[in-house]
Amino acid sequence: MELLQTSLILGVVVGIVYSLSGAGLVVIFRTSGYISFTQGDIAAVGLFVGLAAYNSGAGYVWTALLVIAVSTLVGGLVGALITVPLEKHGHLPAALSTIATALIISGLLNLTVGGDPRSFPEVSRSEALSILGVQMSWSDVAGVLVSASVFIGLGVFFSRSRMGVAMRAVNDNKLAGELLGVPDRRLKLVSWTVAGALSGLLGLFVAPILSLSTVSVNTLLVFGFCAIVIGGFDSIFGALVAGTAIGVMTNLTSTYLDPNLVPTVLWASMLLVLLVRPNGLFGRRKLVRV
Amino acid sequence: MTTTVDRPTADPGSAPRRRRRLSDRAATTTGRGRVGARLATLVVACLAIFAFGQSSTPAIKYAVILSVVYAIAVLGNNAVLGLLGEMNLSSGVSMALGAYAFCYFANDGMGVVAAAVAAVALSTALAAIVAIPTTRLQGIFTALATFALAYAIPTLAIYMKEYTGGDEGTPAPFDFEIFGQLVSGSTTGMLVAALVVFAVLAAASLLMLNAAPGRAALMVGESELAGVTNGFNPRVIKVLVWTWAGFAGAVAGVLYALTVGFIGPTGFGFMLGVWILVGGVVAGARSAWGALLGGLFVGLVPVELQSYVPAEGTSIVFGVILLLALLAGGNGLAQWIERIGLLIKERTFGRKKVDA
Amino acid sequence: MTAALEVRELYMTFSGVDALSSVSLSVPQGTWMGLIGPNGSGKSTMLNVLSGLYKPRAGAVVVSGSDLGRVPARSRIKHGVCRTFQHPQLAASLTILENVMVGAVRGRGASADDETGLQWLARLGCAEYAEHLPAEVPYGVQKRAEVARALISEPSLLLLDEPAAGLSARERAELVAALREVREVLPDLTLCLVEHDVGLVASVCTELAVLSAGKLIAHGPTDEVLADDAVKLAYLGSRSTT
């Protein structure tokens, strides 16, 4: 029974963190209409820089801030210099260019820091509180609180701020953003920067669990992809719900079935949702525009 | 006015004489038309690869054989990319399915040919089933579902160890002979077998591209709305194209198993599907012989690169090449080669005036 | 005699707003009906409902006596309904002629060969472009190629969505000539023409239906409808202010 409670509660904890990965992808999707494959590698750059700082004596808070700052910068640069300019050839080349960027970044990281997994510092292992007999560390609590506030922040941003509303509109209609006084290109760059920051933040909570390597960061992508397909592409809220559900489901799978089945269960549940609800659980049904 | 016999009699206007040929420029940009010339190019390309393989060291020959095997998967994946404009990252999965099923059936006592046929049939059927929900995703978002699948395959293979041998992997038949030629590893028989299979599938896809199936797929891929109002069922067509990709991948998987002689989960990491997709983009998704270039890109370039770049950095070169290919318009190397050929032809013979 | 097109009590709602509200009309076979109205009046919605791309909230669409309510968009071509689009929807890698022949594959003119396709292109005045790709031909030719693709499916009801939008004055004149040619060759064809250019509509259509805010406010012979005060107020009045 305790095993079940642990899988459920810690599942919710990692799920909320994973859903951040989906949120980053949704932010880019909303302005640009395609998906980035490079978010995991963007996070990795920030994390390795942060780890270097930590190892040379920086405190955790400074490390965390550095990770987010670097990921934000790298995210913005990838968007500004590579992907957004390639949109002139269409969405497919733009999406493919994120694969190219991912290959380049992971190659560079492999050359400089190597492919061996490293342990990454976390907030604190010590027990913060216990729910239904399940102990949660300060890291877990911080992950949930920070993720939740980021989600609230994103929700407010998209519904209240002029730029957020323009971001929602721009993918539907190029003119909409400009009517709201925000140029299309700037919206896209902002979304790439925000998505970069989100991946860095997410990496901070995930790297201690998975240990940091150039390969492990791709796990974020898979969870993020599943979260947005299940939740619905344009829905931040959907990413949150789906991410949490995925967290619980993967924990249950690895506890009661086999950890090797986790990715397969993820993929299968994604297909199942697609069969029943092609636009995800919270996605809008798109009307054909003629 | 003796030439009017082939004009429709009820035609009030002046319909020109029927011309079936695409202009050179249109043929180059669309990868269609000029079937005879393209088939000839395909044969020449295959012969060139054969000559190259035969004159290389066994290690390079082995890489060339694997390249041809990858080219078969690239060819299948190119249908999804070039006709539908969708991203498929699961070609490595189709290869894994074909390879594992082949080894399982062969180790279970089936003859090699029967095992190959059964493995390809099973994998193709599974590809069709998976394509039904996958094609519900719009356009490039198929990449998400296929990425997740590709990511799942290595661990799934470990989980299903009764059939796959788990971590340790499973041996493939190594004594298969056709016409007295051993088809395994880096033998000439293996190279010929892979090239013949590639050539047959490439010729088939070239002919289909220029016939009714290709036109239907292009209609749905390039203008789904008009496809629907003209009576096509986009879902059915998409599932068929994806199934073809799964079929080609499975065929490649069987040949892969024969070449390598042993398969394990590390051979089918999620990056394999990425390489196959990238190979198609770099070489040109519409070109049948270009798939061979794509295969070489996946199978041979990393081997050759190792003399210049450390193995960990190979992906940087791949990424840069992919970026350059995208910057050049994403039409692929094969099209650029055709364009240069066209330019040389125009320079030599002068630009032909469009006949009146 | 059954009407070529009969629409009964059609309702279409987008997020709570009625885009079409209680629209009923009947069009006899061989009639060319222009569907006009100000922007947002529901003309395009109407065409999308008739071609099956939108599912109406309520009401019936009956073509040549058969109810198309349960017929999906892709099967309507077999029932003789075919359409064009405001922005031409041609496959970029198929030649103009190949694009035209796509209409024959699942249409009722399945026996049509390339000659028939060329013949239609010639009647519409663009046979010389048959072997070109859509990107290589003028916009007006792309739009007429769509008309040819629709015609080769041997429709009983042809739906044209703003065929003149984006065309130059010369191209418009060519379009009118082409449409007159079509009427001469196919006297039994029923046509529903959505168009902003009222002059062009009036010059080819014998009947007009006017939509305003999703409601049918007039339907009858062209000259009578154009003389109608309500139409002048709702359509021409609002048009002069934009």
Side-chain angles (χ1 to χ4, degrees), chain C residues 27-231:
Chain C
V27 186
Q29 195 186 7
T31 303
W32 284 36
M33 180 188 76
L35 188 57
I36 60 172
N39 275 330
S41 60
K43 309 181 299 284
S44 291
T45 307
M46 178 84 172
L47 223 55
N48 289 340
V49 170
L50 294 182
S51 54
L53 294 176
Y54 290 174
K55 236 183 159 50
R57 181 164 64 83
V61 173
V62 182
V63 171
S64 308
S66 49
D67 187 342
L68 299 189
R70 290 180 174 278
V71 178
R74 65 168 187 275
S75 304
R76 297 207 171 186
I77 195 166
K78 284 216 167 57
H79 287 80
V81 181
C82 203
R83 68 168 290 168
T84 67
F85 295 90
Q86 184 186 346
H87 305 290
Q89 300 283 321
L90 300 169
S93 302
L94 300 182
T95 63
I96 293 293
L97 180 59
E98 283 176 321
N99 266 294
V100 170
M101 296 314 294
V102 163
V105 178
R106 298 287 155 87
R108 303 199 292 189
S111 61
D113 56 8
D114 283 4
E115 294 303 333
T116 324
L118 273 176
Q119 200 173 336
W120 273 119
L121 283 173
R123 284 187 186 125
L124 298 175
C126 42
E128 70 207 88
Y129 298 106
E131 302 298 333
H132 288 258
L133 296 178
E136 301 170 332
V137 307
Y139 194 62
V141 173
Q142 295 180 27
K143 299 200 94 162
R144 276 179 274 154
E146 268 212 317
V147 177
R149 178 174 66 193
L151 286 169
I152 207 161
S153 73
E154 296 182 3
S156 59
L157 173 66
L158 175 61
L159 311 167
L160 300 184
D161 191 359
E162 309 216 9
L167 299 193
S168 67
R170 213 190 103 206
E171 285 176 321
R172 276 170 198 243
E174 285 170 358
L175 177 73
V176 170
L179 290 178
R180 290 202 169 124
E181 176 74 29
V182 170
R183 183 156 58 187
E184 212 158 286
V185 183
L186 299 175
D188 287 340
L189 177 72
T190 310
L191 183 101
C192 179
L193 172 67
V194 166
E195 183 51 62
H196 269 289
D197 183 342
V198 178
L200 188 144
V201 179
S203 69
V204 290
C205 291
T206 48
E207 267 188 25
L208 279 188
V210 187
L211 282 171
S212 176
K215 291 193 171 63
L216 186 70
I217 57 165
H219 180 206
T222 302
D223 40 352
E224 280 176 34
V225 170
L226 285 179
D228 189 288
D229 285 340
V231 172

Side-chain angles (χ1 to χ4, degrees), chain A residues 24 27-28 31-32 167 186-196:
Chain A
V27 168
I28 292 177
T31 53
S32 309
M167 276 178 154
R186 198 197 305 166
L187 285 179
K188 289 182 176 165
L189 297 188
V190 168
S191 70
W192 272 90
T193 314
V194 170

Side-chain angles (χ1 to χ4, degrees), chain B:
Chain B
M1 291 296 279
T2 49
T3 55
T4 52
V5 274
D6 61 343
R7 284 187 187 173
T9 43
D11 180 11
S14 54
R17 271 172 46 81
R18 194 166 90 170
R19 278 178 291 123
R20 295 274 1 189
R21 278 196 55 181
L22 276 169
S23 71
D24 284 343
R25 179 160 289 277
T28 309
T29 53
T30 61
R32 303 180 68 241
R34 298 194 297 179
V35 177
R38 287 181 198 278
L39 281 175
T41 316
L42 180 64
V43 172
V44 170
C46 287
L47 290 175
I49 294 294
F50 176 74
F52 176 64
Q54 286 300 86
S55 60
S56 303
T57 61
I60 297 294
K61 186 176 174 187
Y62 181 69
V64 169
I65 295 173
L66 277 182
S67 301
V68 178
V69 170
Y70 291 133
I72 295 170
V74 170
L75 187 73
N77 195 43
N78 278 355
V80 174
L81 181 71
L83 298 180
L84 302 180
E86 296 185 338
M87 270 164 83
N88 175 19
L89 291 167
S90 65
S91 289
V93 177
S94 311
M95 282 184 68
L97 269 175
Y100 271 121
F102 172 60
C103 292
Y104 179 78
F105 290 139
N107 294 336
D108 205 37
M110 262 194 207
V112 171
V113 175
V117 172
V120 170
L122 176 71
S123 312
T124 308
L126 283 173
I129 292 168
V130 170
I132 293 169
T134 305
T135 53
R136 282 205 157 202
L137 285 163
Q138 291 288 312
I140 55 179
F141 301 108
T142 51
L144 307 188
T146 53
F147 186 81
L149 172 61
Y151 192 79
I153 282 302
T155 51
L156 184 64
I158 293 170
Y159 177 77
M160 295 176 69
K161 46 182 165 297
E162 285 172 59
Y163 305 99
T164 63
D167 269 324
E168 286 91 51
T170 179
F174 54 86
D175 54 1
F176 176 50
E177 287 187 1
I178 308 175
F179 306 127
Q181 293 285 322
L182 186 64
V183 178
S184 174
S186 58
T187 62
T188 301
M190 190 70 233
L191 178 59
V192 172
L195 275 171
V196 167
V197 171
F198 171 78
V200 168
L201 292 183
S205 64
L206 181 61
L207 293 175
M208 276 198 286
L209 178 64
N210 288 285
R215 286 194 291 268
L218 282 171
M219 192 70 234
V220 164
E222 297 186 331
S223 184
E224 184 165 343
L225 213 48
V228 170
T229 57
N230 281 290
F232 293 96
N233 187 337
R235 292 294 309 290
V236 171
I237 289 174
K238 286 181 183 180
V239 168
L240 286 176
V241 174
W242 279 78
T243 307
W244 159 257
F247 163 77
V251 171
V254 170
L255 291 167
Y256 177 87
L258 279 173
T259 310
V260 179
F262 176 85
I263 53 169
T266 48
F268 305 105
F270 72 93
M271 287 308 288
L272 180 57
V274 175
W275 296 138
I276 291 171
L277 175 74
V278 169
V281 175
V282 169
R286 285 277 178 84
S287 171
W289 72 271
L292 212 45
L293 279 183
L296 289 172
F297 183 76
V298 180
L300 189 64
V301 171
V303 178
E304 294 285 352
L305 268 179
Q306 274 171 13
S307 344
Y308 313 98
V309 186
E312 303 85 44
T314 321
S315 70
I316 304 176
V317 180
F318 273 53
V320 170
I321 295 177
L322 174 58
L323 266 190
L324 290 177
L326 294 170
L327 279 172
N331 297 318
L333 199 56
Q335 189 186 115
W336 285 102
I337 293 175
E338 282 188 22
R339 279 194 192 187
I340 292 166
L342 181 63
L343 209 69
I344 294 170
K345 191 176 145 198
E346 280 175 1
R347 283 281 161 82
T348 325
F349 301 104
R351 198 184 293 265
K352 250 197 297 181
K353 291 289 250 180
V354 179
D355 50 316

